[in-house]
Amino acid sequence: PSDYVRFEAQLDVKDEQQYTVEIEIRKFQFRNTSSLLLFIKDISQVKELGRMKALDKYKDMLLASVTHELRTPLNCIIPMISEAIQDDHVPLSVKDTFLKPSMNSAKLLLNIVNDILDYSRFKRNKLRLNFTDFNCIEKMTEILQLFEIQCKHKGITFILELDSCLPRTMYSDKNRLGQVIINFLSNALKFTSQGSVTLSVKPSSTNEENVVFKVTDTGIGLKEEHLIKLFTEFGKIEAAEHNSLNPQGVGLGLMISKQLVSLLGGKTGIKVTSTYGEGSEFSFEIPFQALQPETTDIIVEIPSKFQARPSLIVEPCECRRVLSVDDNDYNQMVIERMLKKLGLEVVKAFNGADAIKVMKDPARYGLLHCRFSTCHYISLVVTDLQMPVIDGLQLIKEIRRLSGVMGKVPIILVSATGEEIQVKEGFRLGMNDFLYKPLTEGLLQECLKAFHLSLIHI
């Protein structure tokens, strides 16, 4: 309007502090005289808040992009090293001197990437938990096997104490529970050069519905100043603080573990007792029949196994072909080798558009019809999420639009990050399962069992 004007400006005051102000000038009549009324409003805090929100959004996007770009090459590195370690033609000396240290370094990098990804999700209240029934004793035994070789190498005794009254079945997120315990054990091994590391699991003496998990070591122990920053962001004990330490990682593991214990129902949090020069003890207790937290904006349950959908199940045929869709040559090589070891034939496409061409006209691409009248040429589609031309979600949508059996082919979506909204959208569009990179042979084989393909067991 012509009777007022509004604009923003930067004001410098004597204390050299700069303010952002909104200036409004209004024209009005006062005693038959044209006058101007000046309003000046300090909007510095509003502007700063907007800038911080934009910066947080940018950091989230950057973290998601960086973790995806790091996990993608790891999806090739880890499986390839693993295959070389299992190869009988590779000399044992080469495995011990080069391959196994390389594998440990790659897994360390993956753990760091995962910690950063979890940290990003915590900041956005988007952490994902999946509550299921599982065998607690089997899970603890699996964890023991992860650390056996490392303990033998360091000359440390690993003790697993399982109480005879321990409930065999728990209802919780077994992977997140394992993540917390593995973090405790990894820290214990870092700071223990002799003696033992003990994982103890027993029913709580104060609450019959809880299970207590405790990790005890005979390591260097912690000083009082170390305890203060244990569970803070990037609260890492620097090597300079102790001449025998060279801890790896970025200092996010315990902070994430504290949050996870809370989400798993651990109302008393993580308890730490330590004597400098003698060792430390980390413990927590959670319900063995946990209730899922009410904070549904934080918890998103994603199906961990194939859930049968009659409309999507195709009748068996002898083709046993898997269409692998990924724009990365190395990822294609990894999944092709995994699938062929399971006795499956692999057809490759490097983006969603090429995959649709194969699905619509398989004979043109040399795919032969088998003896079954219901032959669908492709028995399963494994597709990456982020691809050029047509991405994984759009590909799912396009496949489900196809007529006949081709439109009902089971689809597995694979991703290095897999944000909550993308996974939910994938299931809504008709995918059958979701897997995170880096893929492992065991995880892939377990997933494929649901689709009734005849596999060669590895």
Side-chain angles (χ1 to χ4, degrees):
S2 59
D3 58 345
Y4 80 91
V5 62
R6 181 185 296 153
F7 58 93
E8 294 178 5
Q10 300 289 332
L11 294 183
D12 294 317
V13 294
K14 291 182 179 179
D15 60 2
E16 297 184 353
Q17 185 172 354
Q18 191 177 67
Y19 294 87
T20 302
V21 296
E22 181 183 85
I23 300 175
E24 184 176 318
I25 303 174
R26 286 187 175 273
K27 180 181 178 182
F28 72 103
Q29 294 291 321
F30 181 71
R31 294 179 180 178
N32 297 322
T33 303
S34 294
S35 304
L36 295 177
L37 188 61
L38 178 66
F39 296 92
I40 301 178
K41 184 195 302 183
D42 182 6
I43 59 172
S44 301
Q45 291 185 345
V46 175
K47 284 291 184 180
E48 180 64 16
L49 182 61
R51 189 185 72 82
M52 293 302 294
K53 286 183 177 179
L55 183 60
D56 283 344
K57 184 177 180 180
Y58 171 77
K59 287 193 296 185
D60 290 339
M61 292 172 59
L62 179 63
L63 282 174
S65 176
V66 169
T67 52
H68 177 269
E69 294 305 319
L70 287 173
R71 287 170 68 102
T72 296
L74 286 172
N75 183 53
C76 175
I77 294 170
I78 292 177
M80 285 300 183
I81 296 176
S82 176
E83 186 161 328
I85 291 174
Q86 298 172 35
D87 193 335
D88 294 335
H89 296 93
V90 177
L92 186 60
S93 60
V94 173
K95 294 180 182 180
D96 292 337
T97 306
F98 300 106
L99 295 179
K100 290 181 180 179
S102 298
M103 176 63 88
N104 289 336
S105 297
K107 287 183 176 179
L108 173 62
L109 178 57
L110 179 61
N111 288 337
I112 292 173
V113 171
N114 289 339
D115 279 349
I116 294 173
L117 185 59
D118 279 344
Y119 173 73
S120 171
R121 287 170 175 161
F122 272 125
K123 300 295 283 186
R124 292 176 292 147
N125 289 335
K126 296 295 183 182
L127 188 74
R128 185 179 299 111
L129 296 186
N130 183 19
F131 287 79
T132 58
D133 290 316
F134 66 95
N135 188 309
C136 180
I137 295 175
E138 287 183 359
K139 182 62 181 177
M140 296 305 107
T141 304
E142 286 178 14
I143 293 174
L144 167 68
Q145 293 171 349
L146 289 175
F147 290 92
E148 275 185 327
I149 296 177
Q150 191 175 351
C151 285
K152 288 180 180 178
H153 180 73
K154 293 189 70 173
I156 298 171
T157 303
F158 192 158
I159 303 170
L160 176 60
E161 297 179 348
L162 300 175
D163 193 281
S164 58
C165 297
L166 189 68
R168 181 170 292 273
T169 301
M170 285 189 66
Y171 180 76
S172 188
D173 186 324
K174 66 175 182 178
N175 293 324
R176 292 299 187 179
L177 172 61
Q179 181 178 343
V180 175
I181 296 172
I182 288 171
N183 182 268
F184 287 178
L185 291 171
S186 296
N187 286 335
L189 284 172
K190 286 178 191 176
F191 304 125
T192 303
S193 58
Q194 59 183 358
S196 64
V197 172
T198 302
L199 170 59
S200 169
V201 187
K202 63 180 180 180
S204 172
S205 59
T206 58
N207 187 334
E208 61 181 12
E209 295 182 350
N210 284 0
V211 177
V212 179
F213 298 86
K214 184 187 301 181
V215 173
T216 309
D217 66 66
T218 59
I220 62 171
L222 296 166
K223 297 179 180 179
E224 191 68 31
E225 57 265 31
H226 294 160
L227 293 173
I228 295 173
K229 65 177 185 180
L230 266 185
F231 299 102
T232 59
E233 297 176 4
F234 306 102
K236 178 181 176 181
I237 301 173
E238 299 298 336
E241 298 182 42
H242 195 288
N243 57 17
S244 67
L245 295 182
N246 185 23
Q248 298 169 315
V250 293
L252 290 173
L254 285 176
M255 185 276 290
I256 293 171
S257 295
K258 180 181 178 181
Q259 299 289 345
L260 286 175
V261 168
S262 176
L263 294 175
L264 292 171
K267 296 181 179 180
T268 58
I270 297 174
K271 298 178 181 179
V272 183
T273 58
S274 184
T275 302
Y276 187 65
E278 297 183 10
S280 304
E281 178 182 286
F282 287 72
S283 66
F284 65 94
E285 59 179 85
I286 60 173
F288 65 84
Q289 291 292 328
L291 296 175
Q292 293 194 36
E294 296 178 358
T295 51
T296 53
D297 59 323
I298 295 178
I299 307 303
V300 180
E301 184 170 352
I302 294 177
S304 58
K305 294 183 178 179
F306 169 72
Q307 296 183 342
R309 303 177 186 180
S311 62
L312 298 181
I313 296 177
V314 293
E315 296 181 28
C317 71
E318 292 181 342
C319 292
R320 301 175 67 249
R321 295 191 189 100
V322 177
L323 176 59
S324 173
V325 192
D326 198 308
D327 62 311
N328 185 289
D329 289 335
Y330 296 115
N331 288 339
Q332 283 279 27
M333 179 173 61
V334 167
I335 196 166
E336 180 180 16
R337 293 176 73 92
M338 286 184 179
L339 291 170
K340 285 185 174 181
K341 286 179 72 174
L342 293 170
L344 299 172
E345 180 184 345
V346 181
V347 180
K348 294 187 288 186
F350 289 89
N351 58 62
D354 289 342
I356 289 297
K357 292 177 183 178
V358 174
M359 298 289 288
K360 286 183 175 180
D361 192 3
R364 180 181 176 185
Y365 293 88
L367 305 186
L368 302 177
H369 198 290
C370 74
R371 66 184 178 88
F372 281 80
S373 60
T374 56
C375 175
H376 37 84
Y377 297 96
I378 300 293
S379 300
L380 178 71
V381 175
V382 179
T383 178
D384 189 32
L385 175 61
Q386 297 185 10
M387 296 181 294
V389 188
I390 293 180
D391 65 15
L393 292 177
Q394 185 62 29
L395 175 59
I396 295 169
K397 188 175 181 179
E398 294 295 329
I399 291 176
R400 292 299 175 237
R401 286 176 175 172
L402 297 176
S403 60
V405 292
M406 292 299 273
K408 300 178 182 179
V409 171
I411 304 171
I412 300 173
L413 185 64
V414 181
S415 174
T417 52
E419 292 299 317
E420 165 203 342
I421 189 170
Q422 295 170 321
V423 178
K424 293 176 73 173
E425 179 66 7
F427 279 108
R428 188 189 70 80
L429 291 173
M431 78 176 182
N432 301 87
D433 211 341
F434 177 84
L435 294 176
Y436 279 105
K437 295 178 181 178
L439 293 176
T440 64
E441 292 178 350
L443 182 63
L444 183 61
Q445 184 176 10
E446 184 66 26
C447 176
L448 293 180
K449 287 179 182 177
F451 302 103
H452 310 293
L453 297 173
S454 299
L455 305 177
I456 298 174
H457 293 282
I458 56 176

